[in-house]
Amino acid sequence: MRKTYDFSKSVKNPYAKRLKKQITIRLDADTISYFKAMAEDKGIPYQSLINLYLRDCAAEHRELKTNWA
């Protein structure tokens, strides 16, 4: 490892805006179990599956149907 590095010719990452942002979210245990089981069937990490699902909902402008009866 060098003692100093020269960043004078460095450029900003053009994909920085597209990188994922870490957040904290609270989910029910049943919801996590559901996505973990589905992710295992699909062979992808469950957090990626949740992200894909939410991205699809946002892209399709899906509205939440709530019945508080």
Side-chain angles (χ1 to χ4, degrees), residues 20 35 39 42-56:
K20 293 181 180 179
F35 278 102
K42 305 289 183 192
I44 61 173
Y46 78 98
Q47 290 178 334
S48 296
L49 180 63
I50 293 171
N51 185 61
L52 287 170
Y53 183 79
L54 293 174
R55 184 187 306 162
D56 181 60

Side-chain angles (χ1 to χ4, degrees), residues 32-46:
I32 296 169
S33 296
Y34 172 80
F35 278 102
K36 280 186 175 182
M38 189 185 300
E40 189 174 318
D41 290 341
K42 305 289 183 192
I44 61 173
Y46 78 98

Side-chain angles (χ1 to χ4, degrees), residues 2 9 11 18 36 45 52:
R2 298 179 187 174
K9 297 180 184 177
V11 293
R18 299 182 69 194
K36 280 186 175 182
L52 287 170

Side-chain angles (χ1 to χ4, degrees), residues 53-66:
Y53 183 79
L54 293 174
R55 184 187 306 162
D56 181 60
C57 289
E60 297 296 323
H61 302 286
R62 288 197 179 99
E63 299 254 346
L64 178 63
K65 296 176 187 173
T66 56

